[in-house]
Amino acid sequence: MDSQAAVEARAAQEPTKAGGLKPNSLGVLGIVFFVLSAQAPLTGIAGAVPIAVGIGNGAGTPAAYLGAGAVILLFSVGFVAMGRHVVDTGAFYTYIGKGLGRLTGSGSAGVALFAYCTIQAAMYGLYGATVSGLVEHYTGTHVAWWIWTLITMVVVQILGAAGIEMGAKVLAVFVLAEFSILTAFALVTFFKGGGPEGLGLTDSFSPSAALQGAPGVAVMFAIASMFGFEATAIYGEEAREPRRTVPRATYLSVAVVTGFFAFTSWMLISAHGASKATDAAGKALASGDATGFVFAPITDLFGAWTADVLPVLLATSLFAGILAFHNSANRYLFSLGREGLLPRGLTALNTRHSPWVAGVTQTVLAFLLVMPFALMGKDPVLTLFSWFSGVAVLGMMLLYFLTSVSVVVFFRRSGADTRPWNTLIAPSLGALGIAGAIWLIIANFATLIGGDATTAHWLEAAVPVVLLAGVVTARVRRDGRQTSVTES
């Protein structure tokens, strides 16, 4: 049997696919910036942490982020092992197809595309509302949220078509700004010895703290905040030395995201005081502005100027996430077109080797998802953002689970990698953890989307329906091709 090094060396010498994306255009840090942008750090902190603290496990929320990070890290071990043998913009559906068959892989492709497009549409809703509020605050002029959303769709389309390097540079500026102010707050609070009750280490990380209240809700939001790290594999075709770059970017992304969310949420709780944090988060949620739980202690520490800067950074955080998911989704469309699962026209590249037809298609899909909410006069945050972010998380968790199972099956069958930890133990543990997370998401789905049980059931049903539709479509196309070959 060939050694691991021999397998990788032979794979590295394979020619680039015809009509491929621009190779050697992204390094480790470039890919990490795309991942962190999809995470939308300030959005995750200002949006998820108040909910996790207020209705989850209170001061034990940081422990939930560590637990979620551990599950994602276990998943990443098998994910990376598969990535050494499969380099493709399709990532999830390609990985799943290798182990569980092309039909299941094709069905999962539909789920992945559905998840990326719905999470982007969700972010457009929150982004439009945020920008509309900012403009009205500073100019006194009210412009409907959906107008800002439409303008941003055009900007995102232009940046996406401009090429991957420009996208990375734009995202880097926004991500660094978000991380800088949040990290500065966390570090200053830590070295000051915490808030009125000290650092509260045991209040946030002891087993009793982690299990108090409703820990399932906190874990659910913690996993939702990590949505998007898998984009490391999507950019494998454009990475420099992908069999080294992608694993490093994946592990670095998971470590940074887990550490950032756990540490920052801990310092926010410390700033309020562990015994008072749950009440403070509850009051912020009841006021209709959950960001107050996060913005208030930062303003108290750094001064009134941050009250003006933070809402702007929230808008840029959302913009960075929107652009990151646009890039991920159009690469999925490109890959599906290249595989013949969607029209071949989606593989068209412009002079900058960017999949421009796929990009336009993704923008049209975003438009079709967003505009019904505008036409019906729905609240962009309470409906568009909450509904679509919830269903996107559920869809992505299903993909994580199927990928973990596929990794085990693929390596047991092929023998391409015989390392037990990488190809059996870690993926199996990851699958169990993800299955538990899916159960928690479904059990708390109405809370997650902020809607009623009927709406929750319809959104939950959308994920398996999309999976089944993808399988049926692939089966029909396969049978059609076989019939054509037979007749010829």
Side-chain angles (χ1 to χ4, degrees), residues 56 77 119 181 187 265-266 291 322 408:
V77 174
I119 193 63
I181 193 165
L187 289 174
S265 61
W266 177 29
T291 61
I322 288 168
V408 175

Coordinates of all heavy atoms in Angstrom, one line a residue, residues 56 77 119 181 187 265-266 291 322 408:
G56 N -30.0 30.9 28.0 CA -29.2 29.6 28.0 C -28.7 29.3 29.3 O -29.5 29.2 30.3
V77 N -10.8 17.0 12.1 CA -9.7 16.0 11.9 C -10.0 15.2 10.7 O -9.2 15.0 9.8 CB -9.5 15.2 13.1 CG1 -8.5 14.0 12.9 CG2 -9.1 16.0 14.3
I119 N -28.3 31.7 4.7 CA -27.6 32.4 5.7 C -27.2 33.8 5.2 O -27.2 34.8 5.9 CB -26.4 31.7 6.3 CG1 -25.8 32.3 7.5 CG2 -25.2 31.6 5.2 CD1 -26.8 32.3 8.7
I181 N -11.1 45.8 18.3 CA -11.8 46.4 19.3 C -12.4 45.4 20.4 O -12.3 45.6 21.6 CB -13.0 47.3 18.8 CG1 -13.5 48.2 19.9 CG2 -14.1 46.5 18.2 CD1 -14.4 49.4 19.4
L187 N -8.9 41.9 26.5 CA -7.6 41.9 27.1 C -7.5 42.9 28.3 O -7.0 42.6 29.3 CB -6.5 42.2 26.1 CG -6.3 41.0 25.1 CD1 -5.3 41.5 24.0 CD2 -5.7 39.8 25.8
S265 N -16.7 36.3 25.4 CA -17.9 36.1 26.1 C -17.6 36.0 27.6 O -18.4 36.6 28.4 CB -18.7 34.8 25.7 OG -17.9 33.7 25.9
W266 N -16.5 35.4 28.0 CA -16.1 35.4 29.4 C -15.9 36.8 30.0 O -16.4 37.1 31.1 CB -14.9 34.5 29.5 CG -14.3 34.4 30.9 CD1 -15.0 34.5 32.1 CD2 -12.9 34.2 31.3 NE1 -14.1 34.4 33.2 CE2 -12.8 34.2 32.7 CE3 -11.7 34.0 30.5 CZ2 -11.6 34.0 33.3 CZ3 -10.5 33.9 31.1 CH2 -10.5 33.8 32.5
T291 N -27.9 44.1 21.5 CA -26.5 44.6 21.4 C -26.1 45.4 22.6 O -24.9 45.5 22.9 CB -26.2 45.4 20.1 OG1 -27.1 46.6 20.1 CG2 -26.6 44.6 18.8
I322 N -21.5 38.7 4.4 CA -22.3 38.6 3.1 C -21.4 38.3 2.0 O -21.6 37.4 1.1 CB -23.1 39.8 2.9 CG1 -24.3 39.9 3.9 CG2 -23.6 39.9 1.5 CD1 -24.9 41.3 3.9
V408 N -15.4 8.2 7.5 CA -15.2 6.9 8.1 C -15.4 5.8 7.0 O -14.5 4.9 6.8 CB -16.1 6.6 9.3 CG1 -15.9 5.2 9.8 CG2 -15.8 7.6 10.4

